[in-house]
Amino acid sequence: MTRITRILVPTDFSATADAALDYAYVLAERFGASIELLHDGLGQMSQDELQSLVASLQRGTLRLTRLIDNLLESVRIESGQLSIRRQPVALPQVIEDAAEMLAGLFTQRRQTLEVELPADLPVVEGDAPRLTQVFVNLLANANKFGPEDSSIRIGGDTDGAAVRVWVEDEGPGAPGLEQSSIFDRFYRSADQEPEPRGLGLGLWIVRSIIERHGGTVAAGRSPEDRTRFTIVLPVGKDEP
């Protein structure tokens, strides 16, 4: 007798998948055009032109990788399968790993990343890969909305019981930045979001992961009137 296994799919999964496919098609068209141009121009293009085209393909790969990661994470969240493996995590290492993944996008927009964290910043207890994804999403958001030739800043402090880390960019910020709706799934700013437009999953995933770590995330303006996203996480018990 054939055994049939029933797979429960979240009710909103089709909406997430449709939006992801629309975005993937846009990226695929750009990939196809770039690859065709590269193929046709191999013997005619200058070294600078070839490097520019390869860099464009690399940026597209980064965006597609983020799309897939966020889509998979959204399915885990919706289905209740997002598990957190708790262990001591050093946030400076997490931030360094996230920054390395997005180095090509910072170079494209001629943005500099400035990281100033206290040397004695305590470890937190959490899941390092998931926290890396949090900072990948926040840094990608800063890269996208921050202007070219600008700086992105990461800072932090601690009160002994919690660690606070923020990511800042020089962009104007979305309307109603301080409102919690900016972290809603599929939230997008129609007037201010540059191309290519995203899915509106990144900040929702950030909030979902941080809340499962017992922390909070908020958006607002810094004292220097920069867009700031602030994460607060409980201090861990042990050193990594």
Side-chain angles (χ1 to χ4, degrees):
M1 179 181 294
T2 302
R3 182 177 181 180
I4 300 176
T5 301
R6 185 181 181 190
I7 300 176
L8 298 178
V9 178
T11 55
D12 291 336
F13 174 69
S14 60
T16 305
D18 288 345
L21 286 174
D22 288 343
Y23 189 53
Y25 286 145
V26 172
L27 290 178
E29 288 178 356
R30 297 188 180 188
F31 270 132
S34 296
I35 291 173
E36 185 176 349
L37 183 60
L38 181 62
H39 178 270
D40 294 342
L42 275 178
Q44 306 171 13
M45 299 175 70
S46 68
Q47 187 68 24
D48 288 344
E49 290 173 327
L50 286 172
Q51 288 180 348
S52 177
L53 195 54
V54 170
S56 176
L57 288 169
Q58 181 187 33
R59 292 191 296 269
T61 302
L62 286 172
R63 292 192 180 100
L64 189 56
T65 299
R66 284 193 58 246
L67 167 67
I68 294 171
D69 287 344
N70 282 339
L71 178 59
L72 291 174
E73 201 75 334
S74 71
V75 173
R76 295 187 188 102
I77 293 169
E78 291 169 356
S79 62
Q81 297 177 4
L82 180 66
S83 60
I84 302 297
R85 298 178 58 187
R86 298 188 180 278
Q87 58 185 5
V89 177
L91 288 180
Q93 183 61 55
V94 164
I95 292 169
E96 182 178 340
D97 292 344
E100 287 180 0
M101 294 180 189
L102 299 178
L105 297 181
F106 295 144
T107 300
Q108 175 199 11
R109 294 177 60 77
R110 300 181 301 278
Q111 293 168 329
T112 58
L113 178 62
E114 303 172 3
V115 181
E116 294 186 10
L117 296 171
D120 59 349
L121 194 71
V123 299
V124 299
E125 190 172 309
D127 190 317
R130 302 228 186 276
L131 289 174
T132 300
Q133 185 171 6
V134 164
F135 283 98
V136 165
N137 285 0
L138 289 178
L139 288 172
N141 189 75
N143 164 258
K144 187 172 187 176
F145 288 94
E148 295 183 349
D149 299 297
S150 64
S151 64
I152 296 170
R153 299 176 186 170
I154 297 179
D157 58 27
T158 181
D159 62 3
V163 172
R164 189 170 66 118
V165 178
W166 55 85
V167 178
E168 296 179 357
D169 66 74
E170 297 179 17
L177 181 66
E178 292 81 3
Q179 299 177 6
S180 60
S181 60
I182 197 173
F183 295 99
D184 290 348
R185 190 165 59 122
F186 298 135
Y187 177 91
R188 295 188 297 185
S189 176
D191 297 330
Q192 295 188 0
E193 184 169 359
E195 294 292 339
R197 297 191 67 198
L199 294 176
L201 290 175
L203 294 179
W204 174 67
I205 289 172
V206 167
R207 183 178 65 180
S208 298
I209 292 176
I210 292 301
E211 288 181 347
R212 281 164 174 78
H213 280 79
T216 61
V217 58
R221 306 297 294 181
S222 73
E224 296 81 16
D225 200 33
R226 297 165 62 99
T227 299
R228 173 183 283 190
F229 287 86
T230 304
I231 289 172
V232 179
L233 290 167
V235 168
K237 298 178 181 179
D238 302 307
E239 292 295 323

